[in-house]
Amino acid sequence: MSHGGPATVNTSFRTPARRWSAVAAAAVLAALSGTGSTAAHATEGDPGSASAAVLRTGLDVSLLNRTVHAPLTVSLNEVSAPQSARETALTATLDGVDGGKPFSVLRAEAADAASTVRDGRAEASAHLAAARLHVPGLPLLSVVELETVSSKAVCVAGETPKASVTLPAAVTVLGKRVRLTSGGPTDVEVPGVGSVRLNLSGTKTTSESAAATALRLDVSVNPLKLNVAEVEGTVTVAEARCSAPAVAAGAEPQGVRAEADLAETGSSSTTPYVAAGAVALLAAGGGAVALARRRVG
């Protein structure tokens, strides 16, 4: 009886000790595995969008003392992702204007628009070079002549959207050379012809979108006040827009950056967990040994 008692008691204390050791080891393994794991990937969300246009008009053409109204709503190289276009001329026809024959709205040496959405990136751009814009009633005089203008919008998942515009130092409006300034709109008036207001639309960004527009013209033309073809409205030049694709959650392991930060010191993100696990194992093992010796004694 005296020999069986200690054996029974010793066995009952070994089991908890082993359990504590197993628990501590499991904690170490869990900590180590957690440092290199990634969060669950999110399901596919909004892929983003991109669109661009070299030129867009919203003009109202009045004929014969405003007895006839003909909207002039046309666009050149207007695309939505994934598309691109490189047309360099835009023509239109209006009933009652030049016998219904096609007339030139825009001619340019280069007119490109492109938009793409791929691999978490949405991008749009528009470019126009050596361009002349005309409206009905002014077949020989350009409303505006542009050297080179461009706009670009880039939206990348998880990053701040960006928008940019490139403008020349000056443009020609109704035959007048005008310098472009950021101080506000520029008004150009030509007696007997009409007026044009130039707005530097610039760029606009939010946390999820970007938009860039090189120029917006407010046009009011009535050649020699004859009321033969009075034109009013807006013209938008080189426009690009995008919206950011949705971010997939858990794309980067939590411990990657920490390991990079600690590389110079020889440490890593797993060091605290290893140390804690080692202490737990030593404590559990030491406690088991002490209890066993005490019972045997």
Side-chain angles (χ1 to χ4, degrees), residues 223-246:
L224 301 178
K225 300 294 183 179
L226 297 178
N227 291 318
V228 176
E230 184 177 355
V231 182
E232 293 186 353
T234 61
V235 176
T236 303
V237 181
E239 181 183 70
R241 297 176 178 274
C242 67
S243 64

Side-chain angles (χ1 to χ4, degrees), residues 195-221:
S195 64
V196 175
R197 168 169 284 194
L198 289 85
N199 298 280
L200 303 184
S201 296
T203 62
K204 180 180 180 180
T205 60
T206 68
S207 60
E208 298 179 348
S209 65
T213 303
L215 283 173
R216 192 191 66 180
L217 311 177
D218 295 327
V219 179
S220 178
V221 174

Side-chain angles (χ1 to χ4, degrees), residues 29-274:
L29 292 175
L32 290 174
S33 62
T35 57
S37 64
T38 61
H41 288 278
T43 57
E44 292 186 4
D46 185 359
S49 63
S51 62
V54 168
L55 181 84
R56 184 181 294 111
T57 68
L59 300 172
D60 180 72
V61 181
S62 301
L63 307 173
L64 304 175
N65 292 314
R66 298 192 176 187
T67 58
V68 178
H69 289 271
L72 179 59
T73 305
V74 293
S75 61
L76 179 67
N77 297 348
E78 185 170 5
V79 297
S80 296
Q83 289 180 331
S84 62
R86 306 194 67 178
E87 297 177 51
T88 58
L90 175 65
T91 60
T93 60
L94 286 175
D95 293 337
V97 177
D98 197 17
K101 297 179 181 179
F103 64 91
S104 172
V105 178
L106 179 80
R107 291 191 179 277
E109 290 185 2
D112 306 322
S115 57
T116 59
V117 175
R118 184 177 59 187
D119 300 331
R121 181 185 181 92
E123 182 175 343
S125 62
H127 174 74
L128 186 63
R132 293 170 178 260
L133 173 70
H134 292 271
V135 296
L138 291 177
L140 301 178
L141 182 63
S142 301
V143 172
V144 63
E145 297 180 18
L146 303 165
E147 295 172 1
T148 301
V149 296
S150 62
S151 61
K152 187 174 184 179
V154 180
C155 298
V156 180
E159 298 182 11
T160 302
K162 299 178 181 179
S164 60
V165 168
T166 301
L167 289 169
V171 298
T172 300
V173 180
L174 298 177
K176 290 186 175 182
R177 192 68 171 171
V178 179
R179 292 190 61 83
L180 298 178
T181 64
S182 58
T186 301
D187 294 316
V188 178
E189 292 190 16
V190 176
V193 176
S195 64
V196 175
R197 168 169 284 194
L198 289 85
N199 298 280
L200 303 184
S201 296
T203 62
K204 180 180 180 180
T205 60
T206 68
S207 60
E208 298 179 348
S209 65
T213 303
L215 283 173
R216 192 191 66 180
L217 311 177
D218 295 327
V219 179
S220 178
V221 174
N222 186 359
L224 301 178
K225 300 294 183 179
L226 297 178
N227 291 318
V228 176
E230 184 177 355
V231 182
E232 293 186 353
T234 61
V235 176
T236 303
V237 181
E239 181 183 70
R241 297 176 178 274
C242 67
S243 64
V247 179
E252 180 179 349
Q254 293 287 338
V256 171
R257 192 175 304 277
E259 289 180 7
D261 294 341
L262 295 173
E264 294 183 1
T265 63
S267 302
S268 73
S269 62
T270 61
T271 301
Y273 301 101
V274 172

